[in-house]
């Protein structure tokens, strides 16, 4: 059902079938009747009666007594008309015409309603309520384009009005003008966040923005708005399902599966959930997912022309249907991982080894970009075995070893990453690629679990001696000095890297960190600003500088703007939401602080990420609100979440020193 069918129902359509119509006099009869009426009663009496009847009508609408409401609206029309007939037209104010228009609107007399609202606007062209009523009248008549055009022409007079923004967002959404709709709903949401707009619209703005960004395939933005909406309305299963679908598209199958199983537990008959769960199980394990697919098939729940049926066909070794379906499906859904994995099975069964090798490379890279590192590693290992059996070119096998090294690094196995890197270097011909593999090995050696700084430094200097124009080698050299706290030498290396590659934003960011260690705040800020200019869509830089300012307690409003920029660029990042909540707390805005900290908690929880900092921040906020029991509980949860003994003691000290004894 569309928004307008839900939001602006014609109140009394059914009433026309059992109520007598309003009696209309002829022109002469009406004139004579009005003349007598004006002689017997003062004009203000009729206005008073009209307003009283209109108020009673609205009360009956609230109580859903449409029959009585209709009758009161009829009476109000009669009295408004008597009042208008008794006074000179120039003395009838805009508000009276507006109220009469409203009564006609509720009676379904659209032409007369339009006549009166036009009179109201003629007497006061900027009458806000008349503009809104004119818009609603057009909506009732199904003139959505005209309504949007009319209202957008008035927005300059009321640029921050919540009702205007909400109506324009809804109209443009209904007209499939998504970008304009997003503009208006975003403005509405921002005005509410800035405490200027009407809070009643917050939940609607969030839901509409979530739906619109989802329609535009803007997964991260949609995810942010759905999660924010679900904080206000956690029982909306449909929205939770959309979140699961987004996680599925983004490749975060653990989070998607978790949500789907929660929904399925409460509603085991939800077919859409069952089908999406089938995809999850297929990605998780082709070997163990067959019983689930078989159960769905026995219950006739798998649609004939559907990805789920293609996956089931692969499990049954029915290659013909799967082949035909996937050939058409994959070009339209290139990152639908279940489909790509099914296609690998088809290639393995029916096509050449070269086709299989190419697809394994493509899908391993897709899964890596989705942070599915174990699956990416498994696919690359299969490709490695085939390449070795085929005695492929050394550079192709070297790339595969380098890729395996990246997977192992992400999986927290740096020693195995080193092993694969060394294999890539050993078989790679002398080239830029070989230097790339050497420098990657250097970065692994500098990782927290390894810290073989001297070896990394030697690698960087070896590459520099061979190719002094390699900026990445100078960067690695600087990083090596940084790790051993030789900050002046690190700065010299980064200066050289930037001289060679002045458009590399990462070099400026890292040079900023060096300046921070040298206690040179202007140097830190200047380099971070340079990094922002070169890559204005990188949220890390905005968040870093914003959090730095917030933590130092300086330029707090600027800090908020920087962190807000990071959130706008990556709205589903729980750490950025935490930063935003924290700066709101520093600004004294506990309401927005709690909202964003809860949002951060929800985002991290959905992805099974344990971050005690968010719970610590919530503890601080509730302690400030003197809600000590809640503060204590959050600090206790932070203690349970961290494995760092110093952090545990810090949170325990907060409980012991801050919380009154009676609340412990």
């Amino acid at each position: 059902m569309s928004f307008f069918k839900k939001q602006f129902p014609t109140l009394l359509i059914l009433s026309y079938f059992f109520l007598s119509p309003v009696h209309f006099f002829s022109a002469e009869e009406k004139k004579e009747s009005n003349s007598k009426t004006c002689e017997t009663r003062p004009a203000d009496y009729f206005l008073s009666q009209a307003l009283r009847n209109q108020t009673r009508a609205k009360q009956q609408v609230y109580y859903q007594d449409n029959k009585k409401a209709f009758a009161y609206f009829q009476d109000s029309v009669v009295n408004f008309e008597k009042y208008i007939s008794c006074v000179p037209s120039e003395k009838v104010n805009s508000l009276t015409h507006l109220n009469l228009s409203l009564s006609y609107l509720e009676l379904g007399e659209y032409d007369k309603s339009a006549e009166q609202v036009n009179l109201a606007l003629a007497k006061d062209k900027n009458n806000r309520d008349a503009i809104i009523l004119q818009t609603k009248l057009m909506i009732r008549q199904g003139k959505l384009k005209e309504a949007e055009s009319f209202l957008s022409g008035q927005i300059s007079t009321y640029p921050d009005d919540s009702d205007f923004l909400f109506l324009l967002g809804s109209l443009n959404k209904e007209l499939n003008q998504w970008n304009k709709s997003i503009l208006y709903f975003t403005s509405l949401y921002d005005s509410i966040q800035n405490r200027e707009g009407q809070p009643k619209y917050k939940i609607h703005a969030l839901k509409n923005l979530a739906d619109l960004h989802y329609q535009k395939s803007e997964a991260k933005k949609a995810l942010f708005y759905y999660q924010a909406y679900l904080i206000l309305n956690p029982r909306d299963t449909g929205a939770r399902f959309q979140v699961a679908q987004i996680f599925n598209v983004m490749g975060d199958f653990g989070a998607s599966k978790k949500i789907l199983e929660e929904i399925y537990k409460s509603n085991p008959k939800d077919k859409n959930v069952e089908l999406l769960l089938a995809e999850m199980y297929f990605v998780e394990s082709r070997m163990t997912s067959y019983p689930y697919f078989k159960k769905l098939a026995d219950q006739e729940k798998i649609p004939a022309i559907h990805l789920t049926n293609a996956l089931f066909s692969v499990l049954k070794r029915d290659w013909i249907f799967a082949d035909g379906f996937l050939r058409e499906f994959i070009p339209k859904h290139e990152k639908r991982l279940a489909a790509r994995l099914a296609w690998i099975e088809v290639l393995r069964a029916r096509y050449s080894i070269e086709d299989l090798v190419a697809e394994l490379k493509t899908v391993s890279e897709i899964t890596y970009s989705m942070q599915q590192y174990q699956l990416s590693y498994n696919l690359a290992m299969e490709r490695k075995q085939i390449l070795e059996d085929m005695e492929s070119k050394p550079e192709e096998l070297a790339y595969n070893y380098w890729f395996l090294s990246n997977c192992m690094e992400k999986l927290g196995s740096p020693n195995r990453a080193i092993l694969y890197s060394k294999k890539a270097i050993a078989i790679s011909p002398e080239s830029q690629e070989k230097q790339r593999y050497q420098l990657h090995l250097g970065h692994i050696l500098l990782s927290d679990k390894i810290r073989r700084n001297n070896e990394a430094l030697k690698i960087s200097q070896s590459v520099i001696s061979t190719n002094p124009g390699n900026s990445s080698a100078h960067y690695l050299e600087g990083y090596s000095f940084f790790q051993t706290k030789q900050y002046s030498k690190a700065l010299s290396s980064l200066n050289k890297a930037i001289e060679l590659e002045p458009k590399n934003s990462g070099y400026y960011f890292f040079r900023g960190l060096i300046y921070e260690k040298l206690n040179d705040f202007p140097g830190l800020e200047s380099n971070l600003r340079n990094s922002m200019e070169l890559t204005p869509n990188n949220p890390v830089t905005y968040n870093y500088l914003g959090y730095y300012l917030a933590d130092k307690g300086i330029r707090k409003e600027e800090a908020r703007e920087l962190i807000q920029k990071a959130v706008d660029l990556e709205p589903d990042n729980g750490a950025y939401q935490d930063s935003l909540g924290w700066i709101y707390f520093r600004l004294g805005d506990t309401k927005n602080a709690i909202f964003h900290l809860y949002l951060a908690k929800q985002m991290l929880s959905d992805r099974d990420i344990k971050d005690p900092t968010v719970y610590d921040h919530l503890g601080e906020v509730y302690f400030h609100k003197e809600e000590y029991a809640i503060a204590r509980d959050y600090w206790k949860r932070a203690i349970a979440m961290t494995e760092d003994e110093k952090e545990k003691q810090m949170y325990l000290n907060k409980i012991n020193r801050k919380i009154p004894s009676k609340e412990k």
Side-chain angles (χ1 to χ4, degrees):
M1 183 180 289
S2 76
F3 163 79
F4 294 107
K5 289 178 182 175
K6 293 185 285 184
Q7 193 71 10
F8 302 118
T10 303
L11 288 173
L12 304 162
I13 293 175
L14 294 177
S15 303
Y16 287 113
F17 293 104
F18 53 81
L19 288 176
S20 59
V22 180
H23 176 71
F24 295 102
F25 300 99
S26 68
E28 289 190 6
E29 289 176 322
K30 187 172 182 179
K31 184 176 180 180
E32 183 180 349
S33 173
N34 286 340
S35 176
K36 293 178 180 178
T37 298
C38 297
E39 292 174 1
T40 58
R41 300 276 190 179
D44 286 347
Y45 168 82
F46 300 113
L47 180 59
S48 173
Q49 288 295 107
L51 292 171
R52 182 180 299 174
N53 286 322
Q54 192 174 62
T55 300
R56 288 173 176 170
K58 291 176 181 178
Q59 290 173 342
Q60 296 307 317
V61 169
Y62 177 80
Y63 292 116
Q64 298 184 342
D65 191 333
N66 292 343
K67 186 174 180 179
K68 285 184 179 179
F70 189 86
Y72 280 126
F73 277 125
Q74 282 184 317
D75 289 342
S76 72
V77 164
V78 170
N79 282 287
F80 275 128
E81 292 285 14
K82 286 180 179 180
Y83 170 77
I84 290 171
S85 70
C86 290
V87 297
S89 60
E90 65 273 10
K91 290 189 176 182
V92 180
N93 63 28
S94 176
L95 183 59
T96 300
H97 289 297
L98 178 62
N99 282 318
L100 178 53
S101 175
L102 176 62
S103 289
Y104 274 129
L105 176 65
E106 298 302 344
L107 292 171
E109 296 284 346
Y110 298 141
D111 290 341
K112 292 185 177 182
S113 179
E115 178 185 349
Q116 291 300 321
V117 79
N118 285 332
L119 287 170
L121 288 169
K123 294 185 176 183
D124 181 2
K125 66 178 182 179
N126 293 326
N127 185 313
R128 173 191 176 279
D129 293 331
I131 293 168
I132 290 175
L133 185 59
Q134 178 78 293
T135 304
K136 291 183 177 181
L137 175 60
M138 292 177 181
I139 292 168
R140 288 279 189 95
Q141 294 173 297
K143 300 176 180 178
L144 301 188
K145 287 185 178 180
E146 293 90 336
E148 194 279 333
S149 178
F150 170 73
L151 190 58
S152 62
Q154 310 293 328
I155 190 67
S156 60
T157 309
Y158 299 96
D160 300 317
D161 190 289
S162 294
D163 292 325
F164 278 58
L165 293 171
F166 180 68
L167 279 169
L168 280 167
S170 302
L171 279 163
N172 280 287
K173 183 181 180 185
E174 200 75 12
L175 292 167
N176 293 324
Q177 295 172 175
W178 294 342
N179 288 333
K180 289 181 72 176
S181 183
I182 287 171
L183 173 66
Y184 289 119
F185 278 124
T186 301
S187 297
L188 175 60
Y189 177 68
D190 288 345
S191 73
I192 295 168
Q193 291 299 91
N194 294 330
R195 297 188 173 184
E196 296 167 355
Q198 295 183 33
K200 69 177 183 180
Y201 285 127
K202 184 172 185 176
I203 192 169
H204 303 292
L206 288 170
K207 181 63 163 60
N208 278 291
L209 284 167
D211 291 340
L212 287 161
H213 284 297
Y214 184 81
Q215 289 291 334
K216 293 188 68 187
S217 299
E218 295 172 347
K220 289 189 174 183
K221 288 184 179 180
L223 182 60
F224 163 72
Y225 286 115
Y226 275 126
Q227 289 178 318
Y229 164 74
L230 284 165
I231 287 176
L232 302 177
N233 187 18
R235 295 185 179 181
D236 189 334
T237 303
R240 292 288 289 166
F241 180 71
Q242 294 289 67
V243 170
Q245 286 187 306
I246 293 168
F247 278 134
N248 179 40
V249 171
M250 292 171 63
D252 195 339
F253 302 110
S256 181
K257 181 182 170 185
K258 176 184 174 183
I259 294 169
L260 289 170
E261 288 179 339
E262 288 172 357
I263 298 172
Y264 185 69
K265 186 176 180 180
S266 61
N267 183 14
K269 294 183 179 180
D270 192 322
K271 185 177 177 181
N272 290 326
V273 171
E274 289 180 307
L275 295 178
L276 195 53
L277 269 174
E279 272 192 62
M280 301 294 101
Y281 295 143
F282 184 91
V283 170
E284 199 173 69
S285 171
R286 261 75 73 210
M287 293 181 64
T288 60
S289 60
Y290 179 82
Y292 183 80
F293 278 86
K294 182 67 166 59
K295 183 184 79 170
L296 292 182
D298 291 343
Q299 295 172 351
E300 299 182 348
K301 290 183 176 179
I302 299 179
I305 309 300
H306 195 272
L307 175 59
T308 313
N309 198 22
L311 303 181
F312 189 39
S313 297
V314 166
L315 295 175
K316 295 186 297 180
R317 306 286 190 242
D318 179 6
W319 307 117
I320 295 175
F321 173 76
D323 191 332
F325 180 89
L326 293 170
R327 278 184 184 279
E328 293 187 10
F329 184 86
I330 288 174
K332 300 173 185 175
H333 308 84
E334 292 183 352
K335 291 191 176 182
R336 195 73 169 266
L337 194 49
R340 299 304 293 246
L341 294 173
W343 184 240
I344 286 174
E345 299 295 334
V346 173
L347 291 174
R348 191 179 284 122
R350 307 191 80 193
Y351 295 98
S352 71
I353 198 72
E354 289 79 13
D355 290 334
L356 177 60
V357 167
E359 184 68 4
L360 285 168
K361 182 174 185 288
T362 300
V363 180
S364 64
E365 290 170 349
I366 289 172
T367 52
Y368 187 91
S369 71
M370 291 178 166
Q371 301 179 19
Q372 296 293 309
Y373 301 122
Q374 185 62 56
L375 180 54
S376 182
Y377 172 80
N378 294 342
L379 294 166
M381 280 297 289
E382 182 179 353
R383 183 172 184 268
K384 177 191 79 74
Q385 187 62 53
I386 296 172
L387 290 173
E388 289 176 341
D389 293 342
M390 293 170 62
E391 298 183 356
S392 299
K393 294 178 180 180
E395 53 265 33
E396 195 169 355
L397 191 55
Y399 169 84
N400 205 83
Y401 276 122
W402 172 78
F403 187 83
L404 287 166
S405 173
N406 279 275
C407 292
M408 283 293 99
E409 189 180 4
K410 293 295 186 181
L411 288 167
S413 299
N415 287 309
R416 292 181 69 186
I418 290 170
L419 176 64
Y420 286 126
S421 279
K422 288 183 174 180
K423 286 187 176 182
I425 294 165
I427 64 175
S428 178
E430 291 295 334
S431 64
Q432 289 284 341
E433 284 301 299
K434 184 166 187 171
Q435 292 182 6
R436 178 186 176 195
Y437 302 153
Q438 289 172 324
L439 295 174
H440 178 237
L441 173 59
H443 282 284
I444 301 171
L445 292 169
L446 290 173
S447 62
D448 289 340
K449 290 184 179 179
I450 303 298
R451 290 295 180 97
R452 284 151 59 178
N453 300 320
N454 289 335
E455 290 181 50
L457 183 60
K458 286 179 182 178
I459 288 172
S460 67
Q461 293 174 341
S462 172
V463 174
I464 289 170
S465 66
T466 305
N467 181 8
N470 189 320
S471 64
S472 298
H474 290 282
Y475 174 80
L476 177 62
E477 182 185 53
Y479 191 22
S480 301
F481 286 133
F482 184 86
Q483 291 288 68
T484 54
K485 300 183 180 180
Q486 300 179 71
Y487 300 125
S488 295
K489 288 184 177 181
L491 182 59
S492 178
S493 298
L494 261 293
N495 288 340
K496 184 62 177 178
I498 289 172
E499 178 187 326
L500 292 166
E501 194 177 345
K503 298 296 184 182
N504 189 312
S505 65
Y507 294 169
Y508 287 100
F509 181 84
F510 186 55
R511 190 167 71 174
L513 303 191
I514 297 171
Y515 276 117
E516 183 182 7
K517 292 296 185 182
L518 292 169
N519 295 316
D520 184 343
F521 173 68
L524 163 67
E525 181 171 12
S526 173
N527 277 272
L528 293 183
R529 297 283 183 192
N530 286 335
S531 182
M532 290 175 193
E533 288 177 14
L534 290 167
T535 53
N537 292 326
N538 182 2
V540 175
T541 318
Y542 296 100
N543 185 66
Y544 194 93
L545 181 56
Y547 196 83
Y548 180 89
L549 295 173
D551 202 46
K552 295 295 181 184
I554 58 175
R555 291 153 55 188
K556 294 178 184 177
E557 184 54 38
E558 184 182 352
R560 186 199 66 77
E561 291 173 359
L562 287 164
I563 297 170
Q564 182 65 61
K565 178 68 173 177
V567 168
D568 291 342
L569 289 167
E570 196 172 331
D572 66 325
N573 188 306
Y576 299 163
Q577 292 292 339
D578 173 61
S579 296
L580 189 57
W582 189 237
I583 188 57
Y584 270 122
F585 175 61
R586 289 296 186 93
L587 287 165
D589 186 347
T590 55
K591 185 176 181 180
N592 270 318
I594 289 172
F595 175 77
H596 286 283
L597 290 172
Y598 265 100
L599 192 54
K601 180 169 73 74
Q602 179 65 45
M603 288 178 173
L604 296 169
S605 175
D606 281 345
R607 294 182 169 181
D608 285 328
I609 297 173
K610 295 181 179 180
D611 186 351
T613 304
V614 179
Y615 292 87
D616 176 37
H617 286 166
L618 282 164
E620 292 288 356
V621 174
Y622 279 105
F623 174 77
H624 176 77
K625 287 167 60 67
E626 299 184 359
E627 297 182 29
Y628 301 122
I630 299 175
R632 176 204 61 208
D633 289 345
Y634 276 119
W635 279 323
K636 282 186 174 180
R637 291 170 74 177
I639 291 170
M641 197 168 285
T642 185
E643 296 179 1
D644 187 304
E645 291 302 321
K646 288 183 179 179
E647 281 191 3
K648 285 180 185 286
Q649 191 59 49
M650 178 182 71
Y651 301 141
L652 185 60
N653 288 343
K654 289 186 178 186
I655 293 172
N656 291 335
R657 295 172 184 173
K658 289 188 171 186
I659 304 299
S661 56
K662 66 178 182 180
E663 298 287 348
K664 293 178 183 177

